[in-house]
Amino acid sequence: AHWRSRAPAGEQGRWAWVVLRHEIDYRRALLPGETASARTWVGRRRGPRFDRFVRIDGPDGGMCAQTRSEWVLIDVATRRPARVPEWMETMFG
């Protein structure tokens, strides 16, 4: 959804993102009725790969969970990994 909401319409069909790895560190449970807030950001580009981070905080501001996911950019035409173009890094960085 993040990609579709930000990427130019003409580029969306040219590229696909595939997740290679998810890591989740749980710190504490969110209880029914509690409100959480989440923040997400991308890490540095490494060829065709990007790390994406998420932090989820509970109503007291304390961390409930944090994640790191490793994604690879795929060129849809060739079905092969592709180096992330600078315009993408700028758009999502």
Side-chain angles (χ1 to χ4, degrees):
H2 190 215
W3 166 249
R4 287 187 304 276
S5 73
R6 305 270 313 266
E11 295 289 337
Q12 291 184 25
R14 184 175 173 199
W15 310 100
W17 291 96
V18 176
V19 69
L20 298 176
R21 178 183 178 96
H22 287 298
E23 297 174 8
I24 305 171
D25 296 316
Y26 294 101
R27 300 290 183 220
R28 76 164 184 86
L30 278 168
L31 302 175
E34 286 188 319
T35 301
S37 62
R39 185 170 69 98
T40 184
W41 66 97
V42 294
R44 65 182 176 81
R45 171 179 57 167
R46 295 180 326 281
R49 297 177 182 200
F50 252 109
D51 286 335
R52 182 177 188 93
F53 300 92
V54 177
R55 178 183 164 132
I56 301 170
D57 293 330
D60 62 355
M63 185 192 324
C64 295
Q66 63 183 4
T67 73
R68 179 177 85 72
S69 298
E70 185 177 2
W71 292 82
V72 65
L73 181 65
I74 301 295
D75 181 317
V76 172
T78 65
R79 297 184 179 189
R80 300 196 42 87
R83 186 169 294 278
V84 177
E86 275 190 50
W87 67 266
M88 274 188 211
E89 184 175 7
T90 301
M91 184 174 57
F92 290 102

